[in-house]
Structure formats: structure tokens, C-alpha cells
Amino acid sequence: MSKDLIPLHIADISSFARHLNGQLKSQTETPSHLSLLNMLARAAGFRNFQHLRAANTALARLDAPQEVTVDFKLVERALNQYDDMGRLRQWPAKRSVQVLCLWAFWSLLPAETTLQERDVNGLFNKAHLFDDAAILRRSLVSMGLIERNLDGSDYRRIEQAPPPEAREVIRRLQGRQG
């Protein structure tokens, strides 16, 4: 059986030594291996060695890269709405496909930049063929992907991480655009 390495990080060695010394002085005989492990863990601020081990195991799980699953069927449905030049041919009927397409339009807007409505329309009109930039702007605002002034004159992209499917659509569309 292989042993798991369990690191022990001590913020203040003086406090650690004081706590360990106090525990060792209360012992009448030499502590067992397990007793010594528990003393070390308690001196470091844990309830016992088992608590120290559980904390390190949880840290390892949190630090491990998370496997992201992508619904490629949904990505394919969204990409089928675009022509060979990466332009959206028509407004999709299915809401799930609309959302992915809206993320693609979100990605066209420059980060941390305020644009006027005509500039947003100019970017969007190059990327779709159904001549309705207003539906794209309204949908992006309602999804919380962009914000606009009350009078609708200025638009700004809201920075956030796209979901995995949207990242895949954006990546594949960038390969189509020239």
C-alpha cells in the first residue's frame, strides 16, 4: 500500500513549537506514532491527524483541473445557423441555439469599450444576414451580456466567462471569419 504524502504548512513555527511542547509535557510516556501525528496536527491548528488529511485531500480535489463537458450536438446546431463566412443566416427558432449565437455576437464587441448604437449595428450587420440588429441588441441586453444607457445610445459589453458550448462556438466561428 502506497502512502499519500500529506504536507503540513505552518504559518508560525513559534506558536507551533509552543503547542507541541505543551502536548508533549502532558504525556507520561513516549507517545505512539498515531499520538504523535495527532499532536503535530493539533499544534498546526487541526482537530487531529484525520482532519489534517481530509483538509489536504479536499485541497487536492479543488486544485485538480475540472473536466468540462461540452454538448457538441448543441454546438453543431448553432454552427449550422452560420454560412461559410461565419455570418448568421437567420434568427434561430430554438432558444438554446439563440443563446449560443448571442454569445458569438457578444464576443464581437471589444472588451471594456463603450460603443454607440450605430457602431454596434455596424459590427452586428457584418456578422448576420437577416438585417435585424435590434433583436440582437435587445436579446444581449436581456441576457445580461451587454448594458446600455436608458436612451439606448451607448452599449458596453459585460465581461464574464462564456459557458463551454459558447466558447466552442466562438472558437469555431473565428476560424470561418476572414
Side-chain angles (χ1 to χ4, degrees):
M1 180 170 130
S2 66
K3 291 184 179 182
D4 292 331
L5 298 178
I6 301 171
L8 178 63
H9 300 284
I10 301 162
D12 181 11
I13 195 151
S14 177
S15 174
F16 176 79
R18 190 173 31 261
H19 284 94
L20 185 57
N21 186 34
Q23 291 181 69
L24 286 171
K25 283 184 178 178
S26 69
Q27 296 289 313
T28 56
E29 56 189 48
T30 305
S32 69
H33 178 75
L34 182 58
S35 294
L36 190 55
L37 288 174
N38 283 327
M39 286 180 196
L40 289 167
R42 280 193 295 271
F46 296 93
R47 289 188 301 271
N48 53 34
F49 181 68
Q50 194 171 11
H51 181 216
L52 170 65
R53 182 183 352 197
N56 280 301
T57 303
L59 178 62
R61 279 193 310 269
L62 291 172
D63 287 345
Q66 301 296 316
E67 189 172 313
V68 177
T69 55
V70 176
D71 182 355
F72 285 103
K73 186 66 176 167
L74 182 58
V75 170
E76 182 181 41
R77 285 185 190 129
L79 291 172
N80 285 338
Q81 302 296 313
Y82 289 85
D83 68 5
D84 293 337
M85 300 295 292
R87 296 173 301 193
L88 187 62
R89 289 192 301 257
Q90 61 191 18
W91 185 239
K94 287 192 169 275
R95 179 69 181 152
S96 58
V97 176
Q98 288 175 5
V99 168
L100 291 182
C101 293
L102 288 169
W103 276 104
F105 281 93
W106 170 86
S107 73
L108 297 175
L109 298 172
E112 300 177 9
T113 304
T114 301
L115 299 171
Q116 293 184 340
E117 182 177 326
R118 70 174 177 270
D119 299 325
V120 173
N121 288 345
L123 285 170
F124 288 175
N125 286 336
K126 292 178 191 173
H128 78 284
L129 302 174
F130 55 90
D131 199 32
D132 192 359
I135 194 170
L136 298 170
R137 289 192 323 271
R138 284 193 305 268
S139 299
L140 284 165
V141 169
S142 69
M143 274 184 62
L145 297 178
I146 63 173
E147 59 188 0
R148 67 176 167 202
N149 290 353
L150 290 176
D151 63 359
S153 60
D154 293 332
Y155 290 81
R156 187 176 182 88
R157 179 171 117 167
I158 298 173
E159 296 307 314
Q160 52 193 300
E165 289 82 6
R167 284 195 304 269
E168 188 65 25
V169 167
I170 292 166
R171 185 182 70 78
R172 290 178 182 265
L173 285 174
Q174 286 173 344
R176 291 185 186 183
Q177 296 164 347

